[in-house]
């Protein structure tokens, strides 16, 4: 039996309980060996002022410390420009055994945007896709995706077979938390306690991140 590895990419600017609960629930529901959080590189002009890629990475590391199922993979930050997901998947695949299963975890909105991704039709050569479905999802999948869904989806995520190639939906009760909301609260001098783990809060406070500049 191969390993079962989930991956969740994001800017994590900053990481919050919405990301972490989702990641942990998927990992437990799908009986994964590991779920890797992969912070994305951003073009330098899109970084929030005072918050570097190293800070975003450090916060994710603090958030998952002591949670054996959740790990951090910094490969996208080691490149000198933002990575395509297909490149990340190819680089992960090169390190795994052929029978290992890779599960790319995407929110419904991200999934609907898939046809705009570089070489998107090759993604399923490397991984299965787990779509986090929310009771409040309102957008419709574009036609290109509906065709792929018709050919590749299985109704039971537990039944995803082989190392790659299928799509399944995972239902979760979402926590209505976003990084945008957290940045806005901090910029207006409010507390984000209980929206991020205490260790992340301590890091934000120690470094004075996301506060309005004088
Ligand atoms: P921002 O508000 O800056 O756009 P975000 O909170 O949406 O950020 P990202 O880093 O862009 O966070 O998200 C990474 C991944 O986590 C995406 O797949 C996104 O769908 C998912 N995600 C974000 N917030 C939540 C949440 N509250 N519950 C479950 N998944 C989430």
């Amino acid at each position: 039996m191969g390993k079962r590895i989930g991956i969740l990419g994001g800017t994590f600017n900053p990481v919050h309980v919405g990301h972490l609960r989702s990641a942990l629930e998927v990992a437990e529901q799908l009986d994964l060996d590991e779920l890797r959080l992969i912070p994305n590189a951003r073009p330098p002009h899109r970084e929030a002022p005072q918050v570097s890629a190293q800070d975003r990475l450090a916060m994710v590391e603090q958030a998952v410390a002591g949670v054996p199922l959740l790990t951090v993979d910094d490969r996208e930050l080691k490149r000198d420009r933002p990575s395509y997901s297909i490149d990340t998947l190819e680089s992960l695949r090169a390190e795994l055994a052929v029978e290992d299963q890779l599960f790319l975890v995407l929110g419904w909105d991200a999934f609907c945007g898939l046809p705009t991704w570089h070489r998107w039709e090759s993604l399923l050569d490397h991984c299965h896709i787990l779509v986090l479905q929310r009771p409040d999802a309102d957008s419709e999948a574009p036609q290109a995706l509906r065709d792929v869904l018709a050919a590749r989806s299985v109704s039971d995520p537990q039944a995803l077979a082989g190392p790659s190639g299928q799509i399944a939906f995972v239902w979760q009760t979402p926590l209505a938390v976003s990084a945008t909301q957290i940045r806005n609260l901090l910029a207006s001098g409010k507390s984000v306690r209980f929206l991020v783990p205490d260790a992340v809060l301590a890091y934000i406070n120690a470094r004075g991140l996301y506060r309005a500049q004088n």
Side-chain angles (χ1 to χ4, degrees):
M1 263 291 274
K3 280 188 290 190
R4 291 164 65 79
I5 298 172
I7 58 180
L8 175 66
T11 47
F12 303 121
N13 188 26
V15 67
H16 54 69
V17 295
H19 301 129
L20 296 162
R21 269 309 303 175
S22 254
L24 188 58
E25 286 181 20
V26 170
E28 290 192 329
Q29 255 174 288
L30 272 284
D31 203 15
L32 302 182
D33 295 299
E34 182 190 347
L35 188 142
R36 296 191 192 184
L37 298 159
I38 307 189
N40 303 151
R42 311 189 76 207
H45 64 275
R46 295 205 51 204
E47 289 285 354
Q50 359 93 312
V51 183
S52 64
Q54 286 316 308
D55 283 325
R56 292 188 289 111
L57 173 64
M59 289 188 278
V60 181
E61 282 171 344
Q62 300 262 339
V64 303
V67 186
L69 273 179
L70 303 184
T71 60
V72 189
D73 187 317
D74 66 355
R75 75 188 60 221
E76 293 198 4
L77 301 181
K78 287 188 178 144
R79 303 203 187 123
D80 52 7
R81 59 196 158 93
S83 319
Y84 293 118
S85 295
I86 188 74
D87 298 330
T88 302
L89 285 168
E90 285 176 354
S91 122
L92 282 163
R93 265 287 161 218
E95 296 168 8
L96 298 174
V98 279
E99 69 272 22
D100 290 344
Q101 293 181 294
L102 260 185
F103 300 89
L104 176 64
V105 179
L106 295 175
W108 170 252
D109 292 352
F111 178 68
C112 287
L114 215 60
T116 64
W117 292 19
H118 182 57
R119 292 175 53 206
W120 73 278
E121 280 153 319
S122 304
L123 294 169
L124 286 166
D125 294 343
H126 303 290
C127 62
H128 295 299
I129 294 180
L130 291 175
V131 186
L132 302 183
Q133 186 60 291
R134 294 160 168 247
D136 55 353
D138 47 7
S139 46
E140 272 215 6
Q143 186 59 47
L145 267 185
R146 277 186 263 155
D147 294 342
V148 173
L149 278 172
R152 307 287 199 117
S153 66
V154 298
S155 55
D156 177 7
Q158 312 285 349
L160 292 170
S164 61
Q166 296 174 313
I167 304 172
F169 290 87
V170 176
W171 289 85
Q172 289 189 330
T173 312
L175 290 173
V177 180
S178 72
T180 304
Q181 171 198 13
I182 289 168
R183 292 193 301 274
N184 289 341
L185 286 170
L186 288 164
S188 59
K190 299 217 172 62
S191 171
V192 296
R193 188 131 195 232
F194 311 127
L195 295 177
V196 298
D198 286 347
V200 172
L201 182 62
Y203 187 96
I204 288 172
N205 288 339
R207 309 257 309 158
L209 304 182
Y210 306 108
R211 298 284 175 197
Q213 303 279 28
N214 295 319

